[in-house]
């Protein structure tokens, strides 16, 4: 671990930009290519890079497995929750028009929320699957 | 110019696919699969499907390569010599490929304006998205609003996939509780014998398990 200075410094420089780029992809998804799914994968890639350079133990201090599991369920709950809120406000399931005073603003708000739900779920699942794969020990045959 | 790019990408895809088949070193094969995904992403860009290309590049070339490498760290880098003759698998693959090619003879030409796909709900999405949803990227408005049910289903499928992976990989055999010397003790599942030695071994096991987290760094070194 000690002799890989270039990797460690390079990763340290890159990771903030990767996370920031993920947020850009998330919130720019209304205007250009991208959205919750891609943003979630890129956000997870930042943590995977950290794990590859600094080891799984260190990334688990930053992001405990429990938090990741909660994330992966929370995103789906947020998505479905938006659907139930629109029903409670008198619309149909996932009919975002009722979320604001006029239909177009409601659509904006709804899309923002469900894309956030997708981001949280995809991020959680990608990191959790990585933990599951990387946390196993080699079986000697 | 577009034809030139198409042909170049497809030839490179073919070369990459062929070398993955020939490759006996699994580490190299995984790297080639990453290249394959990146070339596919390039093809999607040529076909103006930038959102799909983005996903392919991030998932195919990024995360799945990492997961494959994580798997290789567990199972080793070299491919075993196959025990069977390749005639029957080759026949099945060629037959399936021929059926798939036969299937493409029926489909309408790519990008033709008179295709059935462009005459169902697509014109409504393209024309009304700006007034009904009000965001410039029609892909996002279809994905998150017009087809919101489908995307919720996708998110649920991804979550279900995680549950499957965790059930298969993360949860080992459950530790047993045994009644010993007047109190309940937890014994690791690998210990059949609930004697005092067994309990000591179980404690050693749990100490080893805490070192397990450092595994990844060791594997890279």
């Amino acid at each position: 671990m000690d002799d890989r200075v270039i990797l460690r410094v390079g990763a340290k420089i890159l990771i903030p930009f990767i996370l920031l780029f993920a947020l850009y992809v998330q919130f720019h998804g209304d205007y250009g290519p991208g959205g919750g799914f891609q943003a979630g994968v890129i956000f997870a890639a930042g943590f995977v890079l950290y794990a590859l350079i600094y080891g799984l133990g260190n990334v688990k201090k930053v992001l405990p497995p429990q938090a990741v599991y909660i994330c992966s369920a929370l995103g789906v709950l947020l998505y479905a929750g938006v659907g139930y809120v629109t029903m409670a406000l008198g619309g149909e399931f996932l009919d975002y028009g009722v979320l604001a005073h006029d239909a177009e603003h409601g659509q904006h708000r709804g899309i923002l929320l469900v894309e956030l739900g997708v981001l949280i779920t995809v991020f959680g699942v990608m990191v959790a699957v990585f933990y599951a794969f990387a946390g196993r020990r080699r079986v000697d045959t | 110019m577009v034809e030139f790019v198409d042909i170049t990408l497809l030839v490179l895809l073919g070369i990459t696919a062929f070398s993955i088949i020939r490759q006996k070193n699994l580490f190299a094969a995984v790297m080639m699969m990453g290249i394959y995904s990146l070339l596919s992403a390039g093809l999607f860009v040529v076909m103006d499907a930038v959102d799909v290309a983005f996903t392919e590049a991030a998932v195919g070339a990024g995360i799945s390569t990492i997961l494959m490498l994580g798997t290789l760290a567990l199972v080793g880098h070299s491919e075993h010599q196959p025990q069977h003759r390749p005639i029957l698998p080759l026949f099945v693959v060629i037959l399936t490929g021929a059926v798939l090619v036969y299937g493409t003879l029926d489909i309408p030409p790519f990008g033709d304006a008179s295709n059935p796909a462009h005459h169902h709900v697509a014109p409504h999405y393209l024309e009304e998205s700006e007034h009904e949803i009000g965001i410039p990227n029609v892909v996002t408005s279809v994905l998150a609003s017009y087809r919101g049910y489908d995307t919720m289903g996708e998110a649920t499928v991804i979550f279900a996939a995680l549950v499957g992976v965790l059930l298969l990989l993360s949860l080992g055999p459950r530790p047993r509780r045994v009644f010993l010397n007047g109190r309940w003790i937890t014994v690791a599942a690998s210990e059949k014998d609930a004697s005092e030695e067994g309990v000591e071994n179980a404690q050693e096991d749990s100490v080893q398990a805490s070192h397990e987290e450092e595994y990844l760094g060791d594997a890279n070194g």
Side-chain angles (χ1 to χ4, degrees):
Chain A
M1 290 292 281
D2 300 325
D3 52 344
R4 290 180 292 167
V5 177
I6 296 176
L7 277 181
R8 281 191 286 132
V9 175
K12 217 168 228 179
I13 295 170
L14 272 178
I15 286 169
F17 287 104
I18 292 174
L19 300 184
L20 198 63
F21 180 64
L23 293 179
Y24 165 79
V25 169
Q26 167 75 13
F27 294 110
H28 207 256
D30 293 2
Y31 306 97
F37 191 86
Q38 292 93 332
V41 172
I42 295 171
F43 210 77
F47 285 90
V48 169
L49 180 63
Y50 189 86
L52 289 177
I53 306 294
Y54 294 94
L56 200 59
N58 280 326
V59 81
K60 278 185 177 171
K61 281 181 203 157
V62 181
L63 197 66
Q66 284 304 321
V68 178
Y69 300 151
I70 290 171
C71 272
S72 48
L74 192 70
V76 179
L77 275 177
L78 176 62
Y79 202 128
V82 171
Y84 286 115
V85 168
T86 56
M87 279 173 84
L89 292 174
E92 291 167 5
F93 189 69
L94 290 177
D95 176 17
Y96 313 133
V98 294
L99 288 176
H101 50 90
D102 74 305
E104 205 174 289
H105 278 159
Q107 291 283 351
H108 280 217
R109 206 169 279 181
I111 289 175
L112 193 78
L113 285 172
V114 299
E115 290 274 11
L116 195 66
V118 174
L119 168 94
I120 295 170
T121 285
V122 171
F123 163 70
V125 169
M126 292 296 165
V127 176
V129 169
F130 175 73
Y131 281 179
F133 272 76
R136 286 172 69 85
R137 309 164 81 182
R138 176 165 187 168
V139 181
D140 289 316
T141 51
Chain B
M1 184 59 198
V2 175
E3 286 86 356
F4 176 73
V5 174
D6 276 349
I7 290 168
T8 312
L9 282 174
L10 281 171
V11 167
L12 286 174
L13 265 186
I15 294 172
T16 314
F18 195 71
S19 43
I20 291 172
I21 298 169
R22 300 291 303 164
Q23 189 59 252
K24 292 290 176 200
N25 184 344
L26 293 178
F27 182 79
V30 168
M31 287 299 154
M32 299 293 266
M33 280 166 73
I35 296 172
Y36 190 92
S37 283
L38 209 58
L39 288 169
S40 310
L43 267 183
F44 293 140
V45 172
V46 174
M47 289 191 272
D48 285 336
V50 278
D51 284 85
V52 184
F54 205 159
T55 312
E56 178 67 40
V59 178
I63 292 284
S64 54
T65 307
I66 296 286
L67 292 182
M68 293 290 257
L69 288 179
T71 312
L72 282 191
L74 299 172
V75 300
H77 283 192
S78 57
E79 188 178 339
H80 291 296
Q81 202 63 248
Q83 297 294 321
H84 55 80
R85 292 160 67 83
I87 308 288
L88 181 67
L90 189 69
F91 174 72
V92 171
V93 167
I94 288 177
L95 192 72
T96 314
V99 169
L100 288 174
V101 171
Y102 175 73
T104 62
L105 298 178
D106 273 356
I107 64 172
F110 173 71
D112 192 349
S114 64
N115 285 350
H118 302 314
H119 290 278
H120 186 48
V121 286
H124 176 87
Y125 293 162
L126 289 175
E127 286 162 14
E128 302 299 326
S129 167
E130 202 180 331
H131 312 297
E132 289 180 354
I133 316 289
I135 60 174
N137 187 359
V138 183
V139 176
T140 300
S141 68
V142 170
L143 195 94
S145 184
Y146 289 121
R147 291 260 172 252
Y149 283 149
D150 296 19
T151 309
M152 192 179 90
E154 280 171 28
T156 314
V157 164
I158 294 168
F159 176 67
L162 171 69
V163 174
V165 167
L166 288 183
L167 283 174
L168 285 171
L169 289 185
S170 288
L171 306 173
R174 292 176 66 178
R176 287 187 305 149
R177 304 268 291 158
V178 291
F179 194 67
L180 188 73
N181 296 341
R183 60 197 174 102
W184 285 95
I185 300 171
T186 306
V187 183
S190 57
E191 295 304 324
K192 294 280 187 291
D193 187 9
S195 66
E196 286 186 2
E197 268 183 26
V199 174
E200 276 178 19
N201 284 346
Q203 283 167 349
E204 279 174 20
D205 276 4
S206 64
V207 172
Q208 276 184 338
S210 65
H211 288 301
E212 201 170 308
E213 292 185 343
E214 295 164 19
Y215 152 77
L216 192 80
D218 299 344
N220 288 334

